[in-house]
Amino acid sequence: MKTGSPNEIKEVVREKYGRIALRTPVLNHGSCCGSVAGSDCTVMSDDYSRLEGYNPDADLGLGCGIPTEFARIQTGQTVLDLGSGAGNDAFVARRLVGDAGRVIGVDMTEAMIARANENLAKVGFANMEFRLGEIEDLPVDSDSVDVVISNCVLNLVPDKARAFAEIHRVLKPGGHFAISDIVLRGVLPSELKDAAVMYTGCVAGAMQMQDYIDAIHRTGFRNVHIGREKSITLPDELLAHFLSNERRKAFLASDVAILSITVYGDK
């Protein structure tokens, strides 16, 4: 199955993450946004368990970084988590903002919102909420949040320019974002780029790293910089699922890099 129109891509992503929301965390850990074609991408080396506010029920192993470590979140601030899933980063952010702050999670998958609300009900925090919505059309008021965070989600959004514009819109003047995401350096083989399952695996939807940074600059953000960068290795069994032996060897010998970055920017 190949990726198609933006709406078709969204439906593929929504359907997969709806299924993931019903799984136990152990089935998702070790993967790039969940398992891809039955194989695990060696991305999830980040351990959340050491972080204050960590909620193991909310950790589905879907991230590619820890954006809160670079988000400069302060007590009393309002934080927006884009693609909040079961609430993993949102609960960590809630610990940082304290009782005087507020955390809003937005996710386009109903099953994820339901799971996040189940996790929230267990702890009873009154200053957290999860809203159903899309990043390209956020159900959030303009100039209303201090910090935006997101973890391995914007690569799944078809219109990334619109997504960055929405981030800029909802941030207060002087606000900022910290986003962990997948980007590329070099061109993926067409078999990987066109595969819908690789899209939901966070790879095929990724932009070139410089294009990603340029898009952020064009939106009007300042002080844009990468706080962390790490390489991602796709396992041979996954590559063999999509590439012939000859094409796989050529890809592995190339200088194409799949990277996880955590990028920061000020409004």
Side-chain angles (χ1 to χ4, degrees):
M1 178 180 179
K2 294 185 178 182
T3 53
S5 69
N7 286 337
E8 289 171 338
I9 290 170
K10 287 179 183 179
E11 286 308 309
V12 169
V13 172
R14 185 179 284 112
E15 190 273 336
K16 173 173 179 175
Y17 285 88
R19 295 198 312 269
I20 289 175
L22 304 177
R23 298 178 185 172
T24 59
V26 71
L27 294 179
N28 296 312
H29 275 289
S31 65
C32 173
C33 301
S35 75
V36 182
S39 295
D40 290 333
C41 301
T42 55
V43 176
M44 283 301 301
S45 58
D46 298 296
D47 180 10
Y48 270 75
S49 64
R50 61 186 170 79
L51 301 179
E52 293 188 36
Y54 173 67
N55 184 333
D57 290 336
D59 186 1
L60 300 182
L62 302 179
C64 57
I66 305 180
T68 51
E69 291 189 331
F70 299 89
R72 306 179 187 179
I73 297 171
Q74 302 295 318
T75 301
Q77 289 184 323
T78 297
V79 176
L80 172 63
D81 181 14
L82 304 182
S84 49
N88 193 31
D89 291 287
F91 282 108
V92 174
R94 193 271 170 195
R95 175 64 178 81
L96 295 170
V97 301
D99 292 338
R102 185 183 181 200
V103 177
I104 303 167
V106 172
D107 202 283
M108 73 171 186
T109 306
E110 292 184 4
M112 283 295 187
I113 294 294
R115 183 152 185 174
N117 281 324
E118 289 175 5
N119 293 329
L120 179 57
K122 294 176 184 177
V123 292
F125 295 141
N127 59 337
M128 290 184 71
E129 63 175 302
F130 295 96
R131 302 177 183 176
L132 184 67
E134 296 186 1
I135 294 174
E136 294 144 307
D137 187 18
L138 288 169
V140 180
D141 291 339
S142 299
D143 304 320
S144 64
V145 303
D146 298 289
V147 183
V148 170
I149 59 173
S150 187
N151 197 345
C152 209
V153 173
L154 289 187
N155 51 72
L156 302 172
V157 176
D159 189 345
K160 294 174 180 60
R162 178 62 184 167
F164 287 125
E166 279 290 272
I167 293 170
H168 194 276
R169 177 184 67 81
V170 301
L171 279 170
K172 297 175 182 178
H176 60 269
F177 70 80
I179 294 172
S180 297
D181 215 348
I182 300 296
V183 295
L184 302 175
R185 185 181 292 135
V187 180
L188 282 176
S190 59
E191 296 92 333
L192 298 180
K193 183 176 176 59
D194 291 340
V197 69
M198 290 298 291
Y199 197 100
T200 58
C202 313
V203 176
M207 294 176 68
Q208 295 294 315
M209 182 164 68
Q210 191 57 56
D211 292 343
Y212 192 97
I213 300 301
D214 289 346
I216 294 172
H217 280 295
R218 285 195 298 271
T219 308
F221 287 104
R222 302 170 299 171
N223 190 28
V224 178
H225 61 272
I226 295 174
R228 184 186 183 193
E229 175 183 321
K230 63 178 180 179
S231 296
I232 294 166
T233 301
L234 298 180
D236 283 345
E237 62 267 25
L238 186 148
L239 293 176
H241 185 84
F242 295 101
L243 302 176
S244 67
N245 190 49
E246 182 178 340
R247 293 275 285 168
R248 182 177 59 83
K249 289 180 179 179
F251 172 66
L252 293 174
S254 73
D255 58 359
V256 176
I258 303 170
L259 304 169
S260 166
I261 61 171
T262 299
V263 59
Y264 173 98
D266 293 319
K267 178 175 177 179

